Amino acid sequence: MLPCWVVRAGTMEYGVALSLQRSLLAARRSGLIDNVLLILEHPPTYTIGRRLRASDHLLYGEETLKARGIRVYETDRGGDITCHGPGQLVGYTIFDIAAWYQDVYRYLRDLEAVIIGLLDEFGIAARRLEGITGVWVEDRKVAALGIRVSRWFAMHGFSLNVHPDLTLYDGIVPCGIADREVTSLERILGRPVAMEEVETSLLHHLGKVFDMSFEEMTLSELQQRV
């Protein structure tokens, strides 16, 4: 089994998380650290994938963004515009995917398989949609994926809606798909869902799909190793 360090980083501003990912990626490429999974939440944030203009799918103007406390970032991952906020589980995977294969498409499908397995554990039948990256329950999106792979080292990852404020999605065309809605575990199940329960299931299915074992550490311990 391949080792993976897990850090539950709490709530972290997106720009800080992006800087941390980049430093971890450099350390992973140099062989200084093992694979790393960052589990965290963001304050209200919109992120825009490379090659997309902010004006294309960002619906809120500056005044509304400021009033709602939403920050906007252009980033270097693939994909379109997406939303982050409290109550959404974000997983950043600093992985050497060449340890498994050299296939970005398969890597995305395996990340989707992790989330589909997690949702099945909660009694939710989730699926993929042909040609659209992400995880869906019926025709509603519950998880988004966006990665960057360079020389088979990956960063960024996925976000799963556990119990976020879904009105944050009113300000964007999520992932550029105008005719589909978003949902959350809490909305699907009609009951509260503890983030810790979801994180435990995530590690189980991530370990199963990628044949990994996990060592948990604090953010400060990780930074000391980098």
Side-chain angles (χ1 to χ4, degrees):
M1 301 181 77
L2 294 174
C4 179
W5 299 348
V6 177
V7 175
R8 303 177 197 245
T11 300
M12 182 179 291
E13 190 266 325
Y14 184 84
V16 174
L18 183 58
S19 178
L20 175 60
Q21 285 190 79
R22 287 170 174 162
S23 66
L24 292 173
L25 184 66
R28 185 71 189 95
R29 280 176 173 160
S30 300
L32 299 176
I33 61 174
D34 287 325
N35 291 329
V36 176
L37 171 67
L38 297 175
I39 298 175
L40 49 82
E41 298 177 54
H42 289 306
T45 305
Y46 296 149
T47 66
I48 300 167
R50 57 182 181 267
R51 296 189 297 275
L52 179 75
R53 296 179 304 169
S55 60
D56 288 342
H57 296 142
L58 177 60
L59 305 180
Y60 283 163
E62 288 295 330
E63 289 188 6
T64 305
L65 291 169
K66 184 176 180 180
R68 296 207 60 177
I70 302 169
R71 300 192 66 176
V72 180
Y73 290 88
E74 294 184 0
T75 187
D76 56 357
R77 61 162 174 78
D80 206 288
I81 190 168
T82 193
C83 172
H84 300 301
Q88 181 192 74
L89 187 157
V90 176
Y92 290 133
T93 53
I94 316 302
F95 289 177
D96 174 9
I97 66 172
W100 300 291
Y101 37 67
Q102 295 185 0
D103 187 334
V104 174
Y105 178 86
R106 182 176 173 186
Y107 179 58
L108 285 167
R109 302 295 79 78
D110 280 350
L111 289 176
E112 289 168 345
V114 170
I115 297 169
I116 290 170
L118 182 161
L119 293 171
D120 181 68
E121 196 169 317
F122 284 83
I124 298 171
R127 63 188 179 113
R128 303 179 179 91
L129 290 184
E130 185 67 30
I132 305 176
T133 298
V135 176
W136 304 76
V137 177
E138 297 179 346
D139 288 330
R140 294 178 173 86
K141 195 169 192 176
V142 70
L145 287 82
I147 62 172
R148 178 175 182 267
V149 176
S150 175
R151 291 181 287 171
W152 304 114
F153 289 93
M155 61 181 283
H156 298 290
F158 57 86
S159 58
L160 171 63
N161 290 337
V162 179
H163 49 76
D165 176 5
L166 292 176
T167 68
L168 286 172
Y169 286 92
D170 293 344
I172 63 172
V173 180
C175 301
I177 305 170
D179 60 346
R180 309 268 183 179
E181 296 181 6
V182 294
T183 190
S184 67
L185 269 73
E186 185 171 272
R187 176 167 289 185
I188 296 164
L189 295 173
R191 63 172 177 82
V193 180
M195 189 67 76
E196 295 78 8
E197 185 181 2
V198 180
E199 292 174 3
T200 298
S201 180
L202 170 66
L203 292 180
H204 170 74
H205 291 281
L206 195 69
K208 183 177 179 181
V209 170
F210 288 96
D211 193 28
M212 290 196 297
S213 61
F214 301 104
E215 176 188 350
E216 298 214 28
M217 63 181 64
T218 66
L219 180 58
S220 61
E221 289 170 338
L222 175 63
Q223 290 171 325
Q224 288 172 8
R225 299 196 188 194
V226 173

